[in-house]
Amino acid sequence: MIEDFDELMPRVASEAQRTESDNDGPEGPKCPECGRILLSTSSKLCNWCGAVIHDAAYQKHAAEERAEFDAHEQRKLIVEEMKDQLIQQRMRSDLI
Ligand SMILES: [Zn+2]
């Protein structure tokens, strides 16, 4: 669980920021186990106690958030690859 924590924190922090600017009201979904407000709405589990959130609407939303995050990461990779290719092309044409 500790290794996951380091990986999760940047996502949790950025999501906490985004949630603040959203108009979902001051309180997000709460964990049914520990009753604390969830920091991340993209995790299947409570960020505090690790309990599974048994809420179909929440889980659907969480899955959507994860898909959105993955798509964003994917786009970033593609852009980086395109940049590399452009640089290589430019270098080759400079040599000729
Ligand atoms: Zn909890």
Side-chain angles (χ1 to χ4, degrees):
M1 281 312 270
I2 301 299
E3 305 96 277
D4 291 341
F5 190 72
D6 277 347
E7 216 173 282
L8 214 63
M9 268 329 271
R11 282 176 69 173
V12 169
S14 70
E15 266 157 20
Q17 267 180 349
R18 207 170 60 200
T19 316
E20 269 171 17
S21 56
D22 278 350
N23 289 328
D24 286 337
E27 292 201 354
K30 278 185 190 168
C31 170
E33 284 296 318
C34 65
R36 299 175 88 167
I37 295 163
L38 299 172
L39 291 178
S40 164
T41 52
S42 67
S43 175
K44 281 182 199 172
L45 308 174
C46 170
N47 315 109
W48 301 105
C49 69
V52 180
I53 315 297
H54 292 291
D55 181 333
Y58 172 85
Q59 291 294 353
K60 186 173 173 282
H61 179 76
E64 280 166 8
E65 286 234 353
R66 286 196 301 275
E68 194 184 300
F69 183 84
D70 289 346
H72 182 76
E73 288 295 294
Q74 203 69 40
R75 270 200 299 276
K76 250 176 27 189
L77 274 179
I78 291 167
V79 167
E80 287 302 313
E81 230 167 76
M82 279 167 66
K83 259 198 242 167
D84 280 353
Q85 276 177 6
L86 274 175
I87 288 166
Q88 277 172 16
Q89 270 175 14
R90 177 70 57 82
M91 279 165 71
R92 269 202 295 271
S93 63
D94 280 352
L95 287 175
I96 295 165

